Amino acid sequence: MIGDQLCEYYGLITHLDEQIGRILEALETSGHAEDTVIIYTADHGLALGSHGLLGKQSLYEHSMRSPLIISGPGIPAGRSTAAFTYLFDLFPTICALAGAKAPAGLAGRDLRPLWEDENARIRESVFLPFGDLMRSVRDERWKLIVYPPINHRQLFDLREDPHETRDLAAAPGHEPEVARLTALMRSWQEKVGDGQPLTRKEPKPKEVRFDDFERKPDQWQPAWIVEKYFRGR
């Protein structure tokens, strides 16, 4: 089943590449390739087996990060940055590129400084929530993930462990980083109006079980999905 899903994902990627090629070819044919800003992005990353996961429902780097490529007049080619951005930064950025005034009160920020000054930074940290199940905060080196329903924390040193394979939350000597990042997370929560408690008085067990519920497709699932993944289960 996992192998089938991986093949479907790779098939989607190939299909997407072909459609991007059609758009670029149309710009060349129309004579607008040199005066058009092209933005390529997605709404999330994807786990393809990392951490034993398949999908986007986690706050590990492979799922929380998404691609972002901006190309066009006045934008240096071949340059990349590790600066923290959010997808909602694209709205004020597109407004600025189009010469339009962005509405007041936007949470997003204009990304143009990132290609006008290669040392520019937009934020010092990022905060990511996932429903009421997870909260994450990270700076350039450290990352904390909190799982409120089970009172669990993970700490990763992304400089030494970019694939998040070594949880340091309970390792001796790392208490200051956990405390610092927890305080940073709470400050982000206050800033964005997130009232999710980071701990529970009666947490759920950490052990994952798959034998205590019945998988049922919802009414929106197409027939081929039901036949392939649910029939006889």
Side-chain angles (χ1 to χ4, degrees), residues 76-83 114 118 121:
R79 180 186 297 178
S80 63
T81 176
L114 296 182
E118 59 184 345
R121 291 293 182 268

Side-chain angles (χ1 to χ4, degrees), residues 169-198:
H174 290 84
E175 297 86 354
E177 290 300 336
V178 172
R180 179 181 68 83
L181 291 171
T182 300
L184 178 61
M185 183 177 292
R186 294 189 188 282
S187 70
W188 265 105
Q189 286 187 291
E190 182 177 356
K191 178 180 177 180
V192 302
D194 176 28
Q196 170 67 44
L198 299 182

Side-chain angles (χ1 to χ4, degrees), residues 127 134-135 144 146-153 181-183 185-186 189 194-200:
F127 169 70
M134 310 172 206
R135 294 293 183 274
L144 179 72
V146 175
Y147 303 84
I150 58 174
N151 286 358
H152 184 59
R153 282 169 165 74
L181 291 171
T182 300
M185 183 177 292
R186 294 189 188 282
Q189 286 187 291
D194 176 28
Q196 170 67 44
L198 299 182
T199 58
R200 287 188 181 180

Side-chain angles (χ1 to χ4, degrees), residues 86-101:
Y86 286 106
L87 287 177
F88 53 68
D89 292 331
L90 287 176
F91 184 16
T93 304
I94 293 171
C95 287
L97 289 170
K101 184 178 180 180

Side-chain angles (χ1 to χ4, degrees), residues 25-58:
E25 183 179 6
L27 286 172
E28 290 285 352
T29 302
S30 66
H32 289 290
E34 300 301 321
D35 60 11
T36 300
V37 174
I38 300 169
I39 299 175
Y40 172 84
T41 188
D43 56 344
H44 55 78
L46 199 67
L48 295 175
S50 300
H51 295 94
L53 301 172
L54 188 67
K56 61 184 180 180
Q57 299 87 353
S58 77

Side-chain angles (χ1 to χ4, degrees), residues 3 5 106 114 176 178 219:
Q5 288 180 311
L106 294 179
L114 296 182
V178 172
Q219 59 181 321

